[in-house]
Amino acid sequence: MNDTIDETVDWRGEQVDCRACRHQDMLSAGKCRLSHACVNDRYARRIDRFFNWNPLLANDYLRHEHFEVRAIAAKHAAVFLLVPLLDDPEETVRWNAARRLPKKHILKLRHDPHREVRIRIVTLLDDSDLVPMLQDEDYYVRQVIARRLAPNLLEWMVGDPEPEVRRVVAQRAEHDVLMRMMTDTEARVRLEVAQRLAPHHLARMSQDEDWRVRHEAASRIDLDLLAQLAEDEDEMVRETARKRLAEGRSENEQYRS
């Protein structure tokens, strides 16, 4: 997309001048190209292409003034030079360094001030290393954790204050945790629970205050427990229950005949 842009300016907005560039000798060798592969250009795609063509130069640019240069250089530089970048003021630089470093170096980014860094860090850590992040101030960080954490550890998140986090827990948790979540205060969470419970466990949810939960129960609950739902106050719940009861009676008649 950046290649369609005609301008060739640096990150300060000044015109790129190949004659003043330290790499001007590379131009004739085809190792860089104005408006296409240039470390001085302000457009990330052109910087990225420059380092793809010349990865051995990345070490020299880890302290460049333009954060895009530092971030892209971090993708190619020697790993042993990346640790200082975890303290870079730009989150993109910190993340590009973190994704290549051993886990022991990136644990401190669990408390990074930028939510995007913390979200991405979750994908690099093991369950035990995620525990300190269960109280993260950003609900989406916790939601990502709930998607990644092993199902047998999700009971730690049953009491999360954000319903969207608890919904993810309900989608992945083991049976014992699901049973505890049947009385969650949020109907959206209880619906997730109802959709995963076996039919013979839906009796309690057939009396739920939310029609969507009762409708799920009416759709799958054992036939001998459908009578109450056939008289439900909600039309969709009643119709679903009565239809299943009628189909059940029809099957029984066919069986007897």
Side-chain angles (χ1 to χ4, degrees):
M1 183 170 59
N2 290 341
D3 294 336
T4 64
I5 300 173
D6 293 332
E7 65 177 4
T8 53
V9 295
D10 64 18
W11 64 283
R12 298 186 186 88
E14 299 175 357
Q15 193 70 30
V16 174
D17 184 358
C18 295
R19 295 170 299 179
C21 178
R22 58 186 285 198
H23 302 303
Q24 59 176 299
D25 58 323
M26 294 169 53
L27 188 61
S28 60
K31 295 183 178 181
C32 62
R33 187 191 311 165
L34 190 65
S35 77
H36 185 72
C38 179
V39 72
N40 296 312
D41 204 294
R42 71 179 178 185
Y43 293 107
R45 179 169 292 186
R46 297 172 183 177
I47 299 170
D48 191 47
R49 191 176 286 117
F50 176 86
F51 285 119
N52 281 333
W53 291 5
N54 308 283
L56 296 181
L57 294 177
N59 289 354
D60 299 331
Y61 283 92
L62 296 178
R63 296 186 178 182
H64 194 275
E65 293 177 278
H66 184 29
F67 82 93
E68 289 276 23
V69 173
R70 299 196 305 276
I72 297 171
K75 295 162 58 177
H76 301 274
V79 172
F80 66 86
L81 296 176
L82 298 181
V83 174
L85 295 185
L86 297 179
D87 295 312
D88 194 277
E90 290 290 334
E91 67 271 10
T92 306
V93 179
R94 297 196 299 275
W95 163 241
N96 276 345
R99 65 198 301 190
R100 297 186 58 214
L101 283 167
K103 184 181 67 174
K104 65 179 182 179
H105 292 296
I106 67 175
L107 290 177
K108 70 176 184 177
L109 294 186
R110 293 178 296 187
H111 306 291
D112 193 274
H114 199 283
R115 72 189 291 260
E116 290 299 326
V117 174
R118 301 198 306 278
I119 289 169
R120 292 178 174 183
I121 283 298
V122 169
T123 65
L124 302 178
L125 299 179
D126 300 323
D127 288 338
S128 59
D129 297 313
L130 292 175
V131 174
M133 300 183 73
L134 297 182
Q135 305 301 321
D136 194 279
E137 63 183 23
D138 191 291
Y139 90 90
Y140 190 72
V141 175
R142 302 195 307 275
Q143 191 174 38
V144 175
I145 293 172
R147 292 194 186 106
R148 179 168 174 79
L149 206 62
N152 66 321
L153 299 178
L154 286 172
E155 61 178 320
W156 294 340
M157 305 189 76
V158 168
D160 193 278
E162 173 56 48
E164 289 302 312
V165 175
R166 300 199 304 277
R167 280 187 66 194
V168 176
V169 173
Q171 291 167 1
R172 302 185 60 242
E174 294 183 333
H175 176 74
D176 290 346
V177 174
L178 272 184
M179 297 296 285
R180 288 167 50 190
M181 300 183 76
M182 291 172 67
T183 57
D184 192 278
T185 57
E186 176 60 48
R188 290 172 295 169
V189 177
R190 298 197 304 276
L191 179 59
E192 296 287 352
V193 173
Q195 289 171 343
R196 291 193 58 212
L197 284 176
H200 62 277
H201 285 302
L202 287 172
R204 285 174 56 188
M205 308 208 81
S206 67
Q207 301 176 36
D208 195 275
E209 63 183 29
D210 191 280
W211 74 269
R212 293 170 298 177
V213 178
R214 299 197 307 277
H215 183 266
E216 178 64 26
S219 302
R220 298 193 301 110
I221 200 170
D222 292 341
L223 288 176
D224 57 354
L225 299 174
L226 266 176
Q228 181 178 353
L229 289 168
E231 304 301 328
D232 194 90
E233 64 183 33
D234 183 85
E235 181 180 2
M236 288 187 66
V237 176
R238 289 196 308 273
E239 288 183 355
T240 298
R242 292 175 181 178
K243 180 180 179 181
R244 289 191 62 214
L245 283 171
E247 291 173 348
R249 286 193 294 268
S250 176
E251 289 177 2
N252 287 336
E253 291 173 358
Q254 291 177 6
Y255 178 77
R256 287 196 296 268
S257 63

